[in-house]
Amino acid sequence: MEYIIEMINIRKEFPGIVANDNITLQVKPGEIHALLGENGAGKSTLMSVLFGLYQPEAGTIKVRGKEVKITNPNIANDLGIGMVHQHFKLVHNFTVTENIILGMERVKNGKLDIDSAAKRIEELSKRYKLTVNPHAKIEDISVGMQQRVEILKMLYRDAEILIFDEPTAVLTPQEIEELMHIMKNMAAEGKTIIIITHKLKEIKAVADRCTVIRKGKSIATVDVKETSEEKMAELMVGRQVSFKVDKKPANPGKEVLRIENLNVKDNRGIKAVKDVNLAVRSGEILGVAGVDGNGQTELIEAITGLRNIESGKIFINDIEISNLPVRKRSEAGLGHIPEDRHKHGLVLDFSLEDNMILETYYKEPFSSKGILNREKIRSYAEDLIKQFDVRSGQGATTLTRSMSGGNQQKAIIAREVDRSPEVLVVAQPTRGLDVGAIEYIHKRIVQERDKGKTILLFSLELDEVLNLSDRIAVMYEGEIVGIVNASETNENELGLMMAGGGRDSHE
Amino acid sequence: MNKKKIIIPLLAVLLGFITGAIVMILTGHNPIEAYSALLKGAGLFGDVKRFGDTLLNMTTLILTGLSVAFAFRTGLFNIGAAGQMLMGGFVAVLIGVKFNLPPFIHVTIATITAVLAGAAWGYIPGLLKAKFRIHEVVSTIMMNYIAMWSVYYLVPKYIPGSFSTESKAINTSASLRTEWLTNLFKGSYVNLGLFLALIAVLLIWWILEKTTFGYELKAVGFNLHASQYAGMKVNRNMILSMMISGALAGLAGATYYIGYANNIKIGVLPSQGYDGIAVALLGLNSPFGVALTALLFGFMNAGRLFMQSSTSVPNELVPIIIAIIIFFAATSLMLETWLKKSEKFFKKSEGGK
C-alpha cells in the first residue's frame, strides 16, 4: 500500500465558484503531508470532502487502497479519519469531557460514565502535553484551550489519519513548538497527518511532503526538504512574494492614545487587566504580545467600549473616552479590527455590502434622514471589494456567511482601514490568512502608520508583532511586564517575558 | 437562490391540497367537488359578498402574520400576538362603548389606542429580554394568559353586555365598518382594516428594507455582539422591535373587534394570534409573502362552511389541509433535499439521452 489516502480528480462546486477543480491528493501512511494554498484556494473544501461534510461532484476517494464513498463524518470516523476544524465545533455550555465523548458516550448502570472518560482524557492530555481541565466548560476557556479540546477529541477516537485545519492560528510560539513535537511523535507512532496551512515555516518544520493548491487546482506535490520557502510561496501565490514587512523607521508624533491605571474584570468577575499604563503616539505601531488569555481580550474590549472598566482612564487626544458608548468612541476617532470576526466583526447573515457599512450606515452618503441609499452602498462596497481584493461568489450581494474566513477578514480590514480612524486597535489581523493576504494587510497597516495614525496591535503571532511593531509591550497575567523597542529585541526575549520571566523578573 | 426559496412554500401548498384530496378520496368524498365548493364559498367565482369575507379573514391574518414576521426578522420569536391582539381589541372596544364622539374621530382614536395597547403589551417582554435576558417565547406566552384573564375580569366589570360572556356593543361611530364598503361587498363585514393592513405591509417592508432603523433592527436580531461592536443601542432596539410587533398585533385586534365584530368575548384568546405564526412561516417572513399567505388562509377560512353545507365534506378538513401545508413548509429542509434529488435525477436522465 503506497498511499493511505488517495483523492483523485476531485471536483466540488458552489454557487458561482468551483472550489475544487480536478484536485488530486495522495498521502503516504505515516507521513505529515501539508496542504498549502491561499485563502479560498479550496484546501478546507477538499478536506471537508474527505471528512464527509461535502459530496464531490466528481472524482474518487481511496482509503487504504479501497475506493470509498464518504457521505457523512461518521463514515470518516469509522475509516479512522479525524479532523480539527478551523472553526471549532464545540458545544459551549458543555464541559471539556462532555464535548470529547459526544457521540460515543459510555453508559454505566444507565448513567453517563463521565469519570472514566475524564480519566482517559487526563491521561491523553498528559501524554501529548495538551493541558486542559476536563471539567471546565467550553465557554469559560480560551480559544487556544478550545483547540486542544478539538485535538483531544480526535485522539480520544483513536483516529489514524488526522486532519488539522489551520491548527496553529491560535497558538503562541511555544505552543506551536509543542504542537509540532506532538505531530512528529504521532507520525512516528504511525499516524498519518494532513495539515492545512499557509505558514511555510511550519511546513518546513514538520511536513514531509506538501501539495500546493491554487485557485481550486492542484499545482504540485513537492518534497519539503528539497524545496525552499520562497519556491513554495511562489507555487502557492503564482508570483514572487516578500516575507519581510517593508517599512521605514517610524516617525512618531504626539501622544494620541493614553491609558492610565486601567483595571478591568473578566466575565467571571476576576481582575483580568491590572493597573495598565500605555501611551501610543501618532505614526507608530505599538504591538502587544502575550500568551492567549493574559488579559488582552479584556484590554481590547475596555478600550473599544465593549466592556465596562473598573477604574482608570482612557484618552484619545486628551478627550476622555473611558465611559463613552461605542459609537461616541468611534466618532472620537477609534477604529477596531476585532479578534473574533464572527462574534464581533460581521453580521454573517447580512450581505457583504451591508457588512461594509456596519458602523457608518447612519451617515451620509449611505443614508440620509434615516433612508438607506442602496446605490451608494453598492458602489462603495464594490469599490472596497476591488481595492482590498475580497473574493466572493456574488460580489457585494454575497451572503457573508458563505465566504471563506480569509475573505471575511479582508472585508473587516477594508471597512476599518477605509474609515481611516485616528487610533486603530487591531487584534489578530491575519489570523488564518495566507502569505499573499498577510503581505497585503501588513502593508495597509504600515501605510496607516505612515499616514500618522496611531496603531495598537494585538497579536498572538510573535512574528507578526516583531515584524510590524515599532515598540512592543508584553502582557502577562493582566499586567504590562515590559515595553521594548522592536529593533532591539528578539523572539527568545519576548517569549521569556510572555512566560512571566523577562527583563524585570523578580528573582 | 431566491427563486428556490419561493418554490418551497408553493410546493408546500400544493402538497397540502394533494394530501387533502387523498384524505377525501380515502373517506369517500369527491375532492374536485369539495375544492370547487371551497373556491365558490370564498367568492372566487364571482360572489362579491363571499369574496368580501375572504378579504375580511385576510385582514386580521395579514396583521398578526406581519407581527410575527417582523419580530422574527429582528431576531425575536413573538408568540404573544394573540395577547397583544386581545389587549388592542379590548381597549378599542372599551373606547367604542364608553365614549360618544363624531364617527371619524371616534374610530381613529379607538384604532390608535388599540395599536398603543398592543405595543405596550409587547413592551413588557421586550423590556424583560433587554434588561434580564428573559427569553421572549416564555414571557410572551405568559403575557397571552395575563391578557386573557385581564379581559375576563375587566369586561364584565366595566363594559358588561347582555350576555355574561361578552361586552356591550360599541357605538357605530367607533366601528371600522363603513357603509360604502359594506354596500360594495353586498353586506360583508369587510372593513377599513383591510386598507390599514395593506398599508402596514408596505410600511413594514419599507422599514425593513429601506431605512437605517430597519437595518439596525435586523443587525441586532442577527448578531447582538456585532451590533454592539458597531455602536448600536442593542437593548433599545430589542424593545422597539417587540413594541412594533405588538403594535401590529394590536391593530389586528382593532380590525377584528371593532371591524368584523362589534364587541369582545371573554375567556378566549383569538386564534388569529397563533395563526400569525403559520402565516409568517409560510410567507418566509417577508411582508409580501405574509400578505399572499394571509389571502390563501383567508379564502380557505371563508369557504370552508360553504363547502360543508354544499357537499358532504366536513369543514374540519380545511384546518387539516392548513396543518399539512404548515407541516410541509416547516420541513422545508426535507423539501429542499427532494428538490435537489429530483433536479439531479432530471439532469442525469437528460445526460442519458
Side-chain angles (χ1 to χ4, degrees):
Chain A
M1 181 176 66
E2 197 187 353
Y3 297 115
I4 188 162
I5 286 187
E6 280 184 277
M7 300 179 79
I8 301 158
N9 297 330
I10 300 292
R11 184 179 178 83
K12 176 73 202 163
E13 293 169 30
F14 293 111
I17 280 184
V18 181
N20 288 169
D21 188 358
N22 290 333
I23 292 187
T24 295
L25 171 73
Q26 293 170 312
V27 183
K28 292 177 185 164
E31 76 167 339
I32 301 181
H33 194 109
L35 204 52
L36 177 66
E38 283 190 282
N39 289 299
K43 300 164 297 195
S44 294
T45 308
L46 186 69
M47 285 303 103
S48 297
V49 167
L50 180 59
F51 194 57
L53 292 168
Y54 294 137
Q55 301 312 307
E57 263 83 36
T60 47
I61 302 173
K62 288 186 192 169
V63 176
R64 297 182 193 88
K66 240 194 252 158
E67 188 171 332
V68 289
K69 278 242 177 315
I70 305 175
T71 48
N72 67 57
N74 289 335
I75 295 175
N77 280 334
D78 293 342
L79 290 167
I81 301 171
M83 182 158 178
V84 175
H85 298 272
Q86 192 175 358
H87 298 296
F88 309 141
K89 318 236 180 233
L90 297 168
V91 183
H92 275 238
N93 51 356
F94 272 20
T95 65
V96 169
T97 306
E98 285 166 341
N99 267 287
I100 290 173
I101 63 172
L102 196 63
M104 50 181 304
E105 308 86 353
R106 221 168 287 153
V107 177
K108 203 163 113 187
N109 305 330
K111 278 197 316 195
L112 257 184
D113 190 9
I114 293 278
D115 292 337
S116 72
K119 218 183 236 165
R120 208 181 136 210
I121 289 161
E122 234 160 330
E123 278 168 24
L124 281 172
S125 83
K126 259 192 208 128
R127 191 159 120 216
Y128 293 100
K129 289 191 189 131
L130 292 158
T131 337
V132 290
N133 171 5
H135 300 291
K137 275 194 182 173
I138 298 297
E139 58 197 0
D140 296 332
I141 64 178
S142 69
V143 178
M145 221 180 268
Q146 289 178 14
Q147 186 190 39
R148 280 175 237 159
V149 177
E150 284 281 7
I151 297 173
L152 279 169
K153 222 156 96 181
M154 288 200 308
L155 297 172
Y156 191 83
R157 280 162 177 69
D158 297 320
E160 269 187 58
I161 301 149
L162 303 116
I163 307 167
F164 287 84
D165 191 355
E166 312 275 0
T168 56
V170 289
L171 305 183
T172 61
Q174 281 85 353
E175 285 174 317
I176 290 173
E177 226 163 87
E178 276 169 33
L179 180 66
M180 300 284 142
H181 271 298
I182 294 163
M183 284 184 172
K184 279 185 185 159
N185 284 341
M186 291 196 288
E189 278 175 39
K191 303 213 170 188
T192 307
I193 293 170
I194 302 174
I195 166 171
I196 305 177
T197 185
H198 37 240
K199 289 190 189 154
L200 301 159
K201 226 191 200 176
E202 286 160 15
I203 295 180
K204 267 293 194 199
V206 293
D208 301 310
R209 295 194 308 145
C210 168
T211 296
V212 185
I213 295 176
R214 191 200 313 152
K215 290 188 179 153
K217 295 193 168 84
S218 39
I219 299 298
T221 299
V222 296
D223 197 313
V224 171
K225 277 196 205 77
E226 290 161 11
T227 318
S228 68
E229 284 185 37
E230 285 76 14
K231 179 70 193 156
M232 283 194 274
E234 206 183 314
L235 283 172
M236 164 168 73
V237 185
R239 62 175 166 87
Q240 290 199 325
V241 283
S242 79
F243 292 105
K244 266 277 169 214
V245 179
D246 228 355
K247 62 171 195 187
K248 289 173 282 193
N251 189 7
K254 63 177 170 63
E255 232 173 69
V256 177
L257 176 69
R258 198 167 78 246
I259 297 167
E260 290 175 0
N261 299 320
L262 189 69
N263 286 287
V264 186
K265 284 184 177 169
D266 67 9
N267 288 342
R268 293 163 297 173
I270 298 164
K271 232 190 220 181
V273 175
K274 298 169 198 157
D275 288 320
V276 163
N277 286 290
L278 270 181
V280 196
R281 296 189 288 174
S282 69
E284 80 165 343
I285 300 175
L286 177 72
V288 178
V291 179
D292 191 16
N294 273 281
Q296 299 99 315
T297 303
E298 287 76 11
L299 180 56
I300 295 166
E301 290 181 348
I303 297 171
T304 54
L306 292 170
R307 182 181 291 273
N308 290 332
I309 61 173
E310 281 306 303
S311 63
K313 283 175 179 171
I314 307 166
F315 296 91
I316 290 182
N317 282 333
D318 296 324
I319 302 167
E320 190 178 343
I321 60 160
S322 328
N323 294 305
L324 290 181
V326 176
R327 179 155 297 168
K328 286 266 164 58
R329 293 185 201 214
S330 148
E331 280 167 358
L334 183 71
H336 177 197
I337 295 169
E339 61 176 338
D340 189 336
R341 55 177 167 257
H342 287 171
K343 188 176 176 192
H344 287 118
L346 295 165
V347 178
L348 288 175
D349 293 306
F350 267 1
S351 62
L352 180 53
E353 61 181 6
D354 277 357
N355 269 306
M356 289 296 197
I357 54 159
L358 199 58
E359 293 146 300
T360 45
Y361 64 92
Y362 61 96
K363 287 187 194 158
E364 302 262 14
F366 307 123
S367 65
S368 79
K369 301 194 180 72
I371 315 286
L372 293 168
N373 186 338
R374 281 281 158 207
E375 256 170 60
K376 287 276 160 55
I377 295 169
R378 175 70 50 87
S379 64
Y380 173 72
E382 275 168 358
D383 189 40
L384 285 190
I385 289 168
K386 222 163 122 195
Q387 229 189 96
F388 287 78
D389 190 27
V390 184
R391 287 178 211 165
S392 60
Q394 285 115 28
T397 56
T398 312
L399 187 69
T400 314
R401 187 183 289 286
S402 71
M403 291 165 52
S404 75
N407 281 304
Q408 290 174 348
Q409 183 71 2
K410 275 190 188 169
I412 296 173
I413 289 178
R415 182 181 71 207
E416 296 306 311
V417 168
D418 191 74
R419 278 173 57 218
S420 205
E422 200 157 347
V423 178
L424 189 57
V425 176
V426 184
Q428 323 300 346
T430 58
R431 180 185 280 181
L433 301 198
D434 56 72
V435 277
I438 291 174
E439 187 190 12
Y440 180 74
I441 284 162
H442 284 176
K443 223 194 309 179
R444 294 304 293 232
I445 293 173
V446 172
Q447 249 174 42
E448 287 301 297
R449 181 200 75 171
D450 291 343
K451 276 191 230 159
K453 310 290 180 189
T454 306
I455 293 168
L456 185 59
L457 167 78
F458 289 81
S459 179
L460 300 173
E461 311 243 3
L462 259 191
D463 269 351
E464 183 163 57
V465 175
L466 273 165
N467 258 330
L468 269 183
S469 315
D470 302 309
R471 289 188 300 142
I472 298 171
V474 179
M475 227 175 152
Y476 176 70
E477 292 192 338
E479 289 176 71
I480 300 289
V481 292
I483 298 181
V484 292
N485 282 328
S487 52
E488 294 162 12
T489 185
N490 57 45
E491 209 161 308
N492 286 336
E493 188 188 29
L494 288 178
L496 212 61
M497 285 164 81
M498 283 160 67
R503 288 195 171 173
D504 318 309
S505 60
H506 323 283
E507 285 159 278
Chain B
M1 238 184 95
N2 249 339
K3 254 189 214 158
K4 230 177 219 166
K5 266 191 183 166
I6 296 165
I7 288 176
I8 285 162
L10 290 179
L11 203 62
V13 171
L14 187 72
L15 286 170
F17 279 103
I18 291 174
T19 316
I22 293 172
V23 171
M24 280 188 258
I25 292 167
L26 287 179
T27 51
H29 304 288
N30 183 344
I32 296 169
E33 236 172 59
Y35 282 146
S36 45
L38 191 64
L39 289 171
K40 197 173 175 194
L44 295 180
F45 291 160
D47 186 321
V48 175
K49 165 157 193 308
R50 291 188 184 281
F51 188 64
D53 290 345
T54 294
L55 296 179
L56 174 71
N57 270 299
M58 176 183 86
T59 301
T60 313
L61 286 177
I62 283 181
L63 289 166
T64 53
L66 266 187
S67 166
V68 177
F70 181 82
F72 207 83
R73 288 286 291 276
T74 57
L76 297 164
F77 201 0
N78 181 15
I79 313 273
Q84 292 143 14
M85 177 179 163
L86 188 65
M87 286 319 278
F90 168 72
V91 175
V93 170
L94 185 71
I95 285 174
V97 172
K98 286 284 183 193
F99 294 89
N100 253 319
L101 295 164
F104 179 71
I105 296 172
H106 199 177
V107 68
T108 306
I109 290 177
T111 307
I112 289 173
T113 45
V115 170
L116 294 178
W121 219 247
Y123 171 77
I124 299 169
L127 184 76
L128 290 173
K129 171 127 185 171
K131 291 277 172 231
F132 307 110
R133 293 288 179 263
I134 291 172
H135 203 287
E136 72 279 5
V137 165
V138 177
S139 54
T140 50
I141 290 175
M142 298 295 170
M143 291 298 288
N144 280 348
Y145 289 102
I146 297 172
M148 185 174 92
W149 295 110
S150 303
V151 168
Y152 194 92
Y153 167 77
L154 292 170
V155 165
K157 190 160 165 75
Y158 294 104
I159 42 173
S162 40
F163 293 104
S164 62
T165 55
E166 60 184 43
S167 76
K168 218 174 146 193
I170 55 169
N171 296 317
T172 46
S173 57
S175 176
L176 279 166
R177 279 185 230 163
T178 58
E179 218 165 290
W180 66 270
L181 208 55
T182 312
N183 289 339
L184 186 69
F185 285 98
K186 306 245 160 70
S188 166
Y189 289 165
V190 64
N191 56 70
L192 291 175
L194 174 65
F195 302 110
L196 295 176
L198 294 176
I199 291 168
V201 169
L202 289 175
L203 186 70
I204 292 300
W205 170 80
W206 183 76
I207 289 177
L208 282 174
E209 304 300 331
K210 300 286 169 195
T211 67
T212 54
F213 178 53
Y215 176 89
E216 262 186 40
L217 292 180
K218 283 189 288 184
V220 172
F222 283 135
N223 186 345
L224 209 107
H225 300 289
S227 310
Q228 235 159 9
Y229 157 88
M232 297 172 190
K233 292 196 173 95
V234 169
N235 286 346
R236 192 199 67 159
N237 282 335
M238 232 179 239
I239 295 172
L240 279 175
S241 281
M242 271 314 288
M243 285 179 74
I244 292 171
S245 178
L248 288 164
L251 183 59
T255 67
Y256 188 75
Y257 293 105
I258 62 169
Y260 161 69
N262 59 5
N263 66 1
I264 192 165
K265 291 192 169 53
I266 65 170
V268 279
L269 277 166
S271 64
Q272 287 91 340
Y274 292 111
D275 292 344
I277 299 170
V279 172
L281 176 76
L282 197 59
L284 300 172
N285 294 313
S286 109
F288 299 118
V290 162
L292 285 177
T293 309
L295 178 65
L296 174 76
F297 285 11
F299 111 75
M300 288 172 76
N301 279 328
R304 56 194 274 193
L305 285 174
F306 180 82
M307 178 183 77
Q308 173 167 270
S309 57
S310 68
T311 68
S312 54
V313 180
N315 84 78
E316 281 79 10
L317 192 77
V318 166
I320 291 178
I321 294 172
I322 291 181
I324 293 166
I325 292 174
I326 302 302
F327 170 79
F328 279 119
T331 51
S332 58
L333 211 65
M334 186 177 79
L335 287 181
E336 252 172 80
T337 25
W338 285 1
L339 273 177
K340 260 190 207 155
K341 274 191 185 159
S342 64
E343 249 172 49
K344 261 192 192 162
F345 178 77
F346 285 120
K347 261 190 196 163
K348 264 187 193 161
S349 58
E350 262 173 40
K353 283 172 202 169

